[in-house]
Amino acid sequence: KSLKQSIKNLDSYTHVRGESLYVDDVNVRQGTFHAVVFDSPKAHGKIKHIDYSKAEALEGVERIFTYKDVPGKNQIGGIIPDEPLFAENDVHFWGMPIALIVAETEFIARKARSLIDIDIEELPVITTAKQAKANGSFINAPRSFSLGDTENAFKDCEYIFEGETFSNGQEHLYIEAQGAYAEPLENGNIKITSSTQGPTAVQKTTAQVLGLAMHKIEVDVTRLGGGFGGKEDQATPWAVMVALATFHLNQSVKLILNRHDDLRMTGKRHPYESSYKIGLSKDLKILAYEAEFLQNSGAAADLSPAIAERTLFHATNSYFVPNVTTTVISCKTNLPPNTAFRGFGGPQGMFVIESAIAKAAHEIGVSPRQIQEANLLDENDTFSYGQIAKKVEAKNTWHSAKKIFNIEDLEQEVEDFNKNNSSFKKGLAFMPITFGISFTNTPMNHARALVHIYLDGSIGISTAAVEMGQGVNTKMMQIAADVFSIPIEKIKIETTNTTRVANTSPSAASSTADLNGKATLKACKALLERLKTVASEDLNTSEDQIELKDEFVYVNNKKSNLSWTELISKTMLKRVALTENAHYATPEIHFDKTKEKGHPFAYHVYGTAIITTTLDCIRGTYEFDSVKIVHDYGKSMSEGIDLGQVEGALAQGIGWMTMEEIAYNDDGKLLSNALSTYKIPDIFSVPKEVEVIPVETDGNDMAILKSKAVGEPPLMYGIGAYFAIQNAIKAFNPNYDLKFHAPMTPEKVLMGLYENN
Ligand code: GUN
Ligand code: MOS
């Protein structure tokens, strides 16, 4: 087996032994204080009075910090400066941080929190995007993409359908809750250990809040116990809070949210309320598509504008539609600011066009699959944002899936089963995906790597990549091992630290391995050239005869006596640098926001899933028999890791579409505030069989070693679960009215099975 076939996520070794270090595992200094956040018990209102006296009087309480203690700006908003670190005179969501209680122990801080009296004059609460729109409550101006002439194209359509859809939010449920630890260094410098996807965001925001230069703040990340987008922006406040306390107390301070606090205080995937109009020709070509997406952004912008933008980028999923008009409106509500979540608005957009297709198919009396297949993207088709589709694998993955998985047999099985069973029904759905790879914000697509070869031949690599379970550190090791032809044991991936790699983009957008991997590759290749020069001098030959293989220098394919370790010490003696710092910025990409046209993505990832479900029509419960996928990995550099990403994303996508149900009451209080009321897929609810076949492809050079990004795209296969269930309901109840209101919980299924009868 080659390295790419056999490589495991190297973190798995420490994970299974319980040795992996997270923020809560940091060896804290003696005298470290522990903190708890005091947050708003109302979703909207004016703070009339807060009495901290009883809390402050509690033995062991050191100090309570509020906005009054902020020496710099009480502001943590990234894209739009609309979010205070601590509430000042009013509160905008239930769970909004108001103060930080710092005490000798977390227990004492928690006790102190219960002793704070707060008086809030309540104001009207908005919890849905539609209410916000009716009230003119927005984050920013709407955005629209358009291609062709939608209005006129509808005139040529044989069929036109309109409808509304809803997709709910989703809780990230990273196993490691949010947290941070700050310690004072000399001269007022502060080091923060953070569970963040974006160390530079933490550094920059902390500096801004404390009124310090960025060089006074060092942020270090070992790994995250999951991020999923929830720690792209929203790991920042906790880190800033402990740094603020450390700034004032000159003592280290730790804050780890417990699950209840985390669920209540943090934002989630954005719920969307959308409406669409779809027009088709007689031969089922989608000629025109119009959609309006109302994004429930929550109480502050956070990443909402960027997420809204990605909704538009993916609004037509894997289809070519010649006439498109899409608009997204970020609606300001009194929920915690919703934030990045695997897929970043893309899944929400894709659910709408899949709903439109399902509706059209039902009304016309054809299978949704026929409409999907008739409109798949082809080479040189234009996306609504102007990019020309290249190296398209939409049809390839679709037709490969049909062939490899014997679709006729599968469909026959479902049909036979449904004929022969009255209280169980099966449903099948196809779900193609197309996802653009790159940060949609072009300036963010860059990374750096710092590679040291130590004088014993071992290597240390620092990049901006944050390991969060996705296996990026293993991929970085593979790259270096491959360039130098040395075993991975000789390579160490250092923590992600702002003093070694600065001004970084977050680990996000599925792009971490591409951006940091390309930078690592560049640094290693530069070192390799230097080593080859030394070797050629030493062996009296020309550089182009030299090759490094299996820890030895080869000349003209013949092994020399010069080993890797000797070569390194000779390089050192010659006073040649064994360190390289490389910068990579994605070439070719650009986007003009004034025209909403450009070429924002390095490439796209494609795939097709076939999902089969069995419904228990007495109980309304369902199981997924199988998910069969042909996925576009490009040429995977780490097959096991990438398969794990597909499986995990699929489960998360199915969870979003079927069982995960976030509920706020009309007062803006989170009801699904624990794992007893918020159900995510477990080992019993994941599909019984998941088969993932790599599509045959030449790959794409914009991807690292032709190995395409894999983090987010497969989540959207989960959208097929919604439609598979709905098809099974239809098989049981011919009078069922199609619904486009995710998640499709067992309760909704049960109602649907018996409605209109
Ligand atoms: N996560 C997924 N896509 C994106 C993106 O385009 N930008 C950012 N910031 N995060 C993402
Ligand atoms: Mo972004 S959802 O953190 O990749």
Side-chain angles (χ1 to χ4, degrees):
K1 273 194 176 175
S2 70
L3 188 59
K4 77 171 197 175
Q5 289 165 326
S6 62
I7 194 87
K8 286 202 171 90
N9 183 339
L10 295 161
D11 266 15
S12 56
Y13 297 98
T14 48
H15 284 353
V16 294
R17 287 198 294 258
E19 291 167 2
S20 298
L21 297 180
Y22 301 89
V23 177
D24 206 11
D25 302 313
V26 168
N27 256 324
V28 297
R29 297 193 199 187
Q30 200 168 10
T32 293
F33 289 116
H34 297 265
V36 163
V37 178
F38 171 64
D39 60 302
S40 174
K42 293 290 171 209
H44 193 197
K46 282 197 188 332
I47 299 175
K48 303 309 278 182
H49 181 69
I50 309 181
D51 181 0
Y52 292 108
S53 59
K54 276 181 270 171
E56 278 165 339
L58 189 70
E59 194 177 322
V61 171
E62 180 68 17
R63 197 167 147 184
I64 297 176
F65 295 96
T66 69
Y67 74 93
K68 291 178 186 155
D69 301 297
V70 169
K73 285 198 191 115
N74 181 33
Q75 179 53 246
I76 61 168
I79 298 176
I80 300 173
D82 66 350
E83 190 179 358
L85 176 69
F86 293 122
E88 296 188 8
N89 303 313
D90 33 39
V91 290
H92 297 278
F93 64 92
W94 199 303
M96 182 175 184
I98 297 172
L100 186 75
I101 305 153
V102 175
E104 281 167 18
T105 68
E106 184 187 331
F107 183 81
I108 295 171
R110 220 163 261 292
K111 176 99 210 276
R113 182 167 75 178
S114 69
L115 300 176
I116 297 172
D117 284 325
I118 182 164
D119 181 13
I120 293 175
E121 180 190 321
E122 289 184 54
L123 293 167
V125 172
I126 296 174
T127 59
T128 73
K130 270 194 188 152
Q131 290 166 359
K133 191 183 175 202
N135 280 279
S137 172
F138 304 115
I139 295 288
N140 59 352
R143 293 269 300 268
S144 282
F145 284 10
S146 84
L147 178 72
D149 182 348
T150 316
E151 220 181 288
N152 271 314
F154 276 115
K155 294 179 188 149
D156 301 330
C157 292
E158 174 82 13
Y159 309 108
I160 294 175
F161 305 103
E162 292 180 67
E164 297 198 351
T165 71
F166 172 77
S167 61
N168 206 343
Q170 184 176 24
E171 167 55 43
H172 301 87
L173 220 88
Y174 23 66
I175 292 179
E176 181 199 27
Q178 303 274 6
Y181 170 68
E183 48 192 316
L185 306 176
E186 63 179 13
N187 291 323
N189 300 323
I190 294 173
K191 180 179 174 186
I192 302 170
T193 304
S194 168
S195 179
T196 179
Q197 292 173 238
T200 292
V202 168
Q203 180 194 21
K204 177 171 171 255
T205 311
T206 303
Q208 173 177 299
V209 171
L210 298 187
L212 296 175
M214 277 174 76
H215 71 195
K216 296 192 80 71
I217 310 294
E218 172 186 350
V219 179
D220 190 78
V221 184
T222 299
R223 69 161 64 67
L224 319 186
F228 310 115
K231 295 170 181 172
E232 184 175 336
D233 240 31
Q234 299 205 358
T236 300
W238 330 109
V240 177
M241 286 176 200
V242 287
L244 174 74
T246 292
F247 174 90
H248 285 289
L249 302 173
N250 197 34
Q251 178 57 281
S252 49
V253 180
K254 182 166 146 181
L255 165 62
I256 308 283
L257 300 193
N258 72 9
R259 188 61 70 182
H260 272 296
D261 287 357
D262 187 303
L263 292 173
R264 189 176 65 252
M265 294 178 198
T266 65
K268 297 148 203 336
R269 183 188 292 286
H270 295 74
Y272 272 57
E273 290 169 277
S274 311
S275 52
Y276 66 83
K277 183 172 166 187
I278 189 168
L280 300 96
S281 68
K282 213 176 165 87
D283 59 352
L284 304 181
K285 289 274 183 202
I286 304 172
L287 298 183
Y289 181 63
E290 221 173 71
E292 184 182 78
F293 305 101
L294 300 185
Q295 178 196 58
N296 187 335
S297 312
D302 192 275
L303 290 160
S304 293
I307 291 159
E309 180 181 53
R310 200 177 264 283
T311 301
L312 300 183
F313 282 118
H314 298 309
T316 54
N317 189 15
S318 297
Y319 311 110
F320 172 62
V321 184
N323 303 284
V324 185
T325 306
T326 50
T327 302
V328 63
I329 308 175
S330 294
C331 302
K332 194 169 184 167
T333 62
N334 298 111
L335 300 186
N338 285 315
T339 192
F341 195 134
R342 208 169 190 173
F344 208 70
Q348 290 95 320
M350 284 156 68
F351 178 68
V352 179
I353 192 154
E354 293 302 327
S355 297
I357 289 172
K359 165 96 171 172
H362 179 76
E363 298 291 335
I364 300 170
V366 297
S367 156
R369 173 146 86 75
Q370 282 171 267
I371 299 179
Q372 289 173 311
E373 187 170 317
N375 292 282
L376 289 172
L377 202 65
D378 223 334
E379 199 68 13
N380 296 319
D381 281 342
T382 307
F383 290 101
S384 68
Y385 45 91
Q387 184 159 346
I388 311 291
K390 294 283 179 194
K391 299 191 179 203
V392 179
E393 306 284 2
K395 288 189 172 169
N396 190 6
T397 59
W398 179 279
H399 293 291
S400 300
K402 278 174 69 176
K403 197 159 134 223
I404 294 168
F405 302 124
N406 295 314
I407 184 63
E408 280 81 17
D409 292 358
L410 264 178
E411 290 198 316
Q412 193 61 48
E413 248 176 67
V414 169
E415 208 175 293
D416 292 347
F417 182 93
N418 287 348
K419 255 193 219 129
N420 298 325
N421 289 277
S422 52
S423 53
F424 288 88
K425 294 291 177 191
K426 282 191 192 292
L428 179 146
F430 272 62
M431 183 64 202
I433 59 152
T434 296
F435 196 81
I437 302 303
S438 289
F439 287 96
T440 56
N441 183 20
T442 304
M444 290 171 77
N445 293 284
H446 60 88
R448 278 153 304 285
L450 177 66
V451 180
H452 298 314
I453 305 177
Y454 293 101
L455 55 88
D456 65 353
S458 64
I459 292 180
I461 300 177
S462 297
T463 71
V466 171
E467 176 61 53
M468 48 189 139
Q470 85 280 45
V472 70
N473 283 358
T474 307
K475 290 186 174 183
M476 297 304 109
M477 280 189 196
Q478 280 180 269
I479 291 163
D482 190 54
V483 172
F484 298 123
S485 193
I486 56 173
I488 48 170
E489 289 73 24
K490 282 214 179 316
I491 301 157
K492 177 188 172 205
I493 305 300
E494 305 290 352
T495 61
T496 315
N497 185 298
T498 52
T499 67
R500 273 178 271 114
V501 181
N503 308 327
T504 65
S505 292
S507 286
S510 303
S511 303
T512 314
D514 271 358
L515 297 173
N516 294 280
K518 292 255 185 186
T520 301
L521 185 65
K522 210 166 151 182
C524 291
K525 280 187 168 168
L527 285 164
L528 179 68
E529 285 316 304
R530 239 173 266 164
L531 296 175
K532 279 184 175 177
T533 308
V534 173
S536 68
E537 284 165 15
D538 192 68
L539 298 168
N540 265 320
T541 177
S542 72
E543 266 173 58
D544 47 18
Q545 316 275 302
I546 300 275
E547 207 189 338
L548 265 63
K549 225 161 72 186
D550 302 332
E551 295 185 81
F552 270 90
V553 176
Y554 279 65
V555 182
N556 267 332
N557 288 323
K558 277 219 293 289
K559 189 172 175 178
S560 76
N561 288 328
L562 186 57
S563 72
W564 164 260
T565 326
E566 286 161 341
L567 174 61
I568 298 307
S569 62
K570 283 189 169 156
T571 308
M572 179 79 187
L573 290 173
K574 287 189 173 232
R575 300 184 294 169
V576 171
L578 286 168
T579 288
E580 181 69 14
N581 175 41
H583 171 80
Y584 174 76
T586 313
E588 291 172 34
I589 53 172
H590 56 88
F591 193 71
D592 182 344
K593 284 194 189 184
T594 63
K595 298 191 174 74
E596 303 287 29
K597 295 285 178 192
H599 184 107
F601 298 119
Y603 58 88
H604 290 80
V605 168
Y606 301 90
T608 299
I610 306 172
I611 300 188
T612 316
T613 184
T614 303
L615 262 189
D616 179 331
C617 302
I618 307 294
R619 295 179 179 83
T621 55
Y622 41 76
E623 291 182 340
F624 296 99
D625 310 331
S626 66
V627 180
K628 296 168 187 285
I629 298 170
V630 173
H631 185 77
D632 170 24
Y633 293 104
K635 301 255 182 226
S636 174
M637 64 180 288
S638 329
E639 293 176 359
I641 289 171
D642 287 350
L643 175 62
Q645 285 293 98
V646 174
E647 291 171 341
L650 172 69
Q652 203 162 33
I654 291 177
W656 171 52
M657 278 283 115
T658 63
M659 60 174 63
E660 298 184 35
E661 192 169 34
I662 288 179
Y664 290 94
N665 70 9
D666 291 343
D667 296 331
K669 180 182 184 178
L670 181 67
L671 301 178
S672 51
N673 67 346
L675 290 183
S676 51
T677 47
Y678 187 76
K679 183 86 182 76
I680 67 157
D682 58 16
I683 192 68
F684 301 106
S685 42
V686 294
K688 298 207 165 24
E689 183 195 344
V690 177
E691 198 175 348
V692 189
I693 306 284
V695 73
E696 294 211 22
T697 169
D698 295 336
N700 191 313
D701 284 319
M702 295 286 264
I704 178 67
L705 304 176
K706 293 185 185 261
S707 183
K708 282 191 175 179
V710 71
E712 296 173 292
L715 181 131
M716 285 145 272
Y717 291 135
I719 294 173
Y722 184 96
F723 296 97
I725 294 174
Q726 184 141 268
N727 290 340
I729 300 175
K730 279 204 298 191
F732 181 82
N733 179 8
N735 299 329
Y736 170 71
D737 286 327
L738 294 191
K739 301 196 177 49
F740 303 102
H741 195 280
M744 183 62 94
T745 57
E747 293 87 339
K748 283 189 201 162
V749 172
L750 194 61
M751 311 257 275
L753 286 166
Y754 297 97
E755 73 177 16
N756 302 329
N757 280 313

